[in-house]
Amino acid sequence: GGFTAEFLGKAVFPRLGRNLFNPAVLGRSAIAVLETLYPMSYGPQQGDPDMVSSASVLFKEAGGQTVPSYLDAFLGITPGAIGETSILVLGLVGIFLFRYVIIKREAAVAMIAATPLMVMLLPPTAEIVGHAPWVTNPLMYILGSSTVLTAVFFATDPTTTPHSRLGCILFGIGVATIGVAGKFYTTTPGFEMYGILVMNLLTPLLNHIAGAVITTSPRKSSNDA
């Protein structure tokens, strides 16, 4: 991921003045591709929990794991796969990062808020069994997937996200839509990461859209501006 971002990214985006390749996302996407090509290499048997879709849902009923309780998922004590974490701990860490470290919060907040909405709006297909049959539950989806982890640590990169708040909100909604659609309509792992990568590449367009909206919207006073 770092190699691609430093060399290919600088060659592709010189006119933009910014590199739109997020190194961490490219690295995680590469792992997701390897998991897709060689799913059996990540566990001694096919029944291991969520070995194919480890970048998506952490608890996989179809792989032999029972559906966890809300408390188990919240605390992160049910065995899962890559990216497993406790929402309780991640929430506390996220609050600290948002308060003292992270500059751009809008994309992460929009992604976390839009994800359960997309779960309720998008109709699932039979492909959903590759991730877990219960991801249609919006609350369990948030607790048992890497959505919050991805939002906090990957949707806040100041160099690959849009300049404006509106652009960041559109960014987060786009990632949520791609991530949920990936689970509902494919068996491919890592769609949150693909969503981040796609929206990184669309950042110039989001900047243009947000700039046009802000320019045409009326302003009450210079103080508001």
Side-chain angles (χ1 to χ4, degrees):
F3 181 87
T4 304
E6 288 300 315
F7 293 94
L8 180 60
K10 288 181 178 179
V12 173
F13 306 112
R15 294 183 180 180
L16 296 178
R18 61 190 310 198
N19 188 347
L20 296 179
F21 279 158
N22 184 313
V25 173
L26 286 176
R28 187 61 190 89
S29 297
I31 294 175
V33 171
L34 291 176
E35 290 172 344
T36 303
L37 297 177
Y38 308 102
M40 294 299 293
S41 64
Y42 287 85
Q45 56 186 5
Q46 192 173 1
D48 281 352
D50 203 13
M51 291 301 171
V52 175
S53 58
S54 61
S56 301
V57 178
L58 302 182
F59 311 105
K60 181 181 177 186
E61 186 181 34
Q65 288 285 3
T66 57
V67 178
S69 67
Y70 289 114
L71 180 60
D72 290 343
F74 179 73
L75 297 178
I77 60 177
T78 303
I82 296 174
E84 178 188 1
T85 186
S86 165
I87 294 297
L88 173 63
V89 174
L90 182 59
L92 296 175
V93 172
I95 292 173
F96 175 83
L97 292 176
F98 277 22
R99 177 64 179 85
Y100 297 106
V101 180
I102 294 175
I103 299 173
K104 292 186 176 181
R105 308 173 182 88
E106 292 80 11
V109 172
M111 178 182 171
I112 295 172
T115 293
L117 181 61
M118 292 298 111
V119 171
M120 292 185 290
L121 290 178
L122 296 179
T125 64
E127 298 290 344
I128 200 171
V129 72
H131 299 282
W134 46 264
V135 297
T136 52
N137 182 325
L139 179 57
M140 187 59 76
Y141 189 109
I142 291 293
L143 295 178
S145 75
S146 59
T147 297
V148 177
L149 186 72
T150 303
V152 172
F153 290 100
F154 298 117
T156 55
D157 180 7
T159 63
T160 58
T161 49
H163 297 300
S164 66
R165 291 182 177 181
L166 176 59
C168 286
I169 292 173
L170 296 176
F171 184 102
I173 294 174
V175 176
T177 304
I178 294 173
V180 174
K183 291 187 181 70
F184 278 20
Y185 306 128
T186 78
T187 57
T188 304
F191 253 86
E192 288 89 356
M193 293 296 170
Y194 298 143
I196 294 283
L197 192 57
V198 169
M199 298 311 293
N200 285 159
L201 300 178
L202 293 179
T203 291
L205 176 62
L206 298 179
N207 285 331
H208 178 74
I209 294 174
V213 172
I214 294 173
T215 301
T216 56
S217 62
R219 292 176 176 174
K220 294 181 180 180
S221 68
S222 59
N223 290 333
D224 291 340

